[in-house]
Amino acid sequence: MPMALKVHVVYEHGPDYRPFGSAYLRLLRPLSHPTVRDQICLTASWRYDGEPVDVVIVDRLWRADIDQEMAASLAHRIRRAGARFIYALDDDLLGLYEQQRGPRAEGYRQVVQFFLEEADGVLVTTQPLQERCQELNARCEVVPNALDERLLAGGSPTPSDSPFERRPTVIGYMGTITHEADLNLILPAWQAIHDRYGRAVEFQMVGVTTRPEALRDLPFPIRRIQPRPEEVEYPLFLLWWTGRICWDIAVAPLQDTPFNRCKSDIKYLDYCALGAAGVFSHVPAYRGSVRHLETGWIADNTVDAWVTALDRLLHDEPLRISLARAARQDLYSRRLLCHTAPRWLEALEQLLA
């Protein structure tokens, strides 16, 4: 029986040294999945001190205070220990920091470039990101995102109204705090829907912005829903998300920018797991996975297109339920780790060959 591949993940983290959600999603959950447990012996930490392993995977920027000296020192420790160095990236950070100004952004750009050039191979989420990274490292493998079925609490498409009290139809938006520009894209359409339906429609939001004033002054209400502090970390968040949130329609606006063209379809998976009918921007992240009017609605980034999509789904409950059920079936048939975790082992073997 072949020996298991010893993999150590140096995950991206904040001041509390806990892994960011992307580290769980992209590395810690896939590489520890039962389907690959016999082939991969995984360890993970916020640091690497030269432990004997076959490969060290460095996640994104690793740490907020990183500089070139830290990056070079980490790479040196990996080489000195005789391990292979794999870099994991799920966003076009190189392009992001090229567009930003200031010494900090330039320092981050140099670190990302160093990791890309120094690594024995690169793991990415999408083909556009692969093409971007291959400008600096030809050895680059795409492993699409998938959800860990062990963390899904359920979710059901568009639950029925109570026979005692008719509830409003809920339209929701979930995202990290980096999506305020995308929120501004959808707000005029939400305003139009509110003007048309009034209290028959309720708008809810998870995350997206850290500025309460961004919502307080709006002429229509948006209910903000947040997990408890102990449920913020990704594994418990996903359980909270799929067990507590009840949306009929979920929206994923995304501006068409060079940075966003390298993004993955993770929001599609999140909404599939929720059991909601999703409306997605007509951008590369969703065009390749969402089947229009089958597993979701693809909308151009115009107010009229978003109003049309939301209005149709509010009126057409059978279509709304059909989209939610088909999307959920799509997730459970091909986009769970029980289906895709072996692809991680295959990608690592190809990069280390």
Side-chain angles (χ1 to χ4, degrees):
M1 182 176 179
M3 296 287 290
L5 186 69
K6 295 180 181 178
V7 177
H8 182 77
V9 169
V10 181
Y11 53 72
E12 190 175 39
H13 62 277
D16 61 357
Y17 300 104
R18 299 298 299 163
F20 284 166
S22 58
Y24 278 113
L25 172 70
R26 287 293 301 165
L27 297 170
L28 303 183
R29 302 301 296 190
L31 296 175
S32 65
H33 194 270
T35 57
V36 296
R37 193 170 290 161
D38 292 338
Q39 292 84 34
I40 295 177
C41 178
L42 177 69
T43 58
S45 176
W46 58 275
R47 59 189 295 172
Y48 176 67
D49 293 323
E51 298 86 350
V53 295
D54 298 308
V55 57
V56 176
I57 303 178
V58 178
D59 180 32
R60 289 171 53 96
L61 268 179
W62 176 26
R63 48 192 293 175
D65 62 347
I66 194 168
D67 56 29
Q68 285 184 285
E69 183 177 350
M70 291 179 185
S73 178
L74 175 61
H76 176 70
R77 288 196 297 275
I78 296 171
R79 299 300 186 200
R80 186 175 57 190
R84 307 291 290 278
F85 171 23
I86 300 297
Y87 187 43
L89 201 58
D90 63 349
D91 273 321
D92 182 15
L93 297 185
L94 195 66
L96 176 66
Y97 296 125
E98 284 175 348
Q99 296 172 2
Q100 296 180 0
R101 296 181 179 180
R104 186 172 188 179
E106 175 58 19
Y108 283 169
R109 186 201 65 77
Q110 291 175 0
V111 166
V112 174
Q113 180 173 330
F114 171 80
F115 280 153
L116 284 170
E117 293 176 338
E118 181 71 15
D120 295 305
V122 183
L123 288 168
V124 297
T125 46
T126 68
Q127 185 175 346
L129 185 55
Q130 179 190 45
E131 294 169 357
R132 182 77 167 96
C133 292
Q134 282 179 330
E135 298 172 8
L136 297 174
N137 193 319
R139 299 180 61 81
C140 189
E141 289 289 323
V142 178
V143 185
N145 282 328
L147 297 187
D148 190 339
E149 67 280 359
R150 297 169 292 174
L151 301 178
L152 303 184
S156 58
T158 55
S160 301
D161 292 331
S162 165
F164 304 105
E165 180 182 0
R166 182 170 180 82
R167 66 172 181 86
T169 303
V170 180
I171 300 175
Y173 179 24
M174 187 271 282
T176 62
I177 59 174
T178 61
H179 284 278
E180 190 163 326
D182 301 313
L183 173 64
N184 293 332
L185 189 155
I186 198 67
L187 285 179
W190 279 15
Q191 175 70 66
I193 292 297
H194 171 73
D195 293 345
R196 191 172 301 178
Y197 290 90
R199 294 183 179 179
V201 174
E202 179 177 313
F203 301 95
Q204 296 183 7
M205 199 166 71
V206 175
V208 180
T209 178
T210 57
R211 297 190 308 115
E213 64 272 16
L215 306 179
R216 190 184 304 126
D217 299 331
L218 293 174
F220 65 96
I222 297 179
R223 180 185 172 195
R224 294 198 71 189
I225 304 176
Q226 302 296 339
R228 293 175 297 180
E230 61 270 24
E231 294 173 317
V232 169
E233 196 164 2
Y234 181 79
L236 288 180
F237 174 83
L238 197 56
L239 285 167
W240 171 84
W241 166 253
T242 56
R244 296 291 300 275
I245 299 300
C246 183
W247 292 348
D248 300 279
I249 301 169
V251 301
L254 192 63
Q255 293 186 328
D256 190 8
T257 65
F259 176 74
N260 285 343
R261 288 170 201 151
C262 291
K263 278 190 168 293
S264 74
D265 63 350
I266 185 60
K267 195 67 73 259
Y268 171 63
L269 304 184
D270 290 335
Y271 291 165
C272 288
L274 193 64
V279 185
F280 306 88
S281 280
H282 191 212
V283 294
Y286 302 121
R287 282 201 298 262
S289 54
V290 181
R291 299 191 301 274
H292 182 56
L293 295 184
E294 292 184 37
T295 60
W297 188 299
I298 298 288
D300 290 334
N301 279 342
T302 66
V303 175
D304 287 346
W306 279 91
V307 170
T308 297
L310 296 175
D311 189 55
R312 169 72 184 279
L313 291 178
L314 287 168
H315 273 105
D316 194 337
E317 184 179 18
L319 175 62
R320 194 170 70 229
I321 295 175
S322 173
L323 295 183
R325 287 178 174 166
R328 187 170 173 80
Q329 175 62 29
D330 190 32
L331 169 69
Y332 275 80
S333 64
R334 67 185 187 93
R335 299 295 296 277
L336 298 178
L337 287 182
C338 59
H339 307 127
T340 66
R343 170 63 187 138
W344 283 90
L345 179 62
E346 176 187 336
L348 285 174
E349 290 176 339
Q350 289 177 348
L351 291 176
L352 299 176

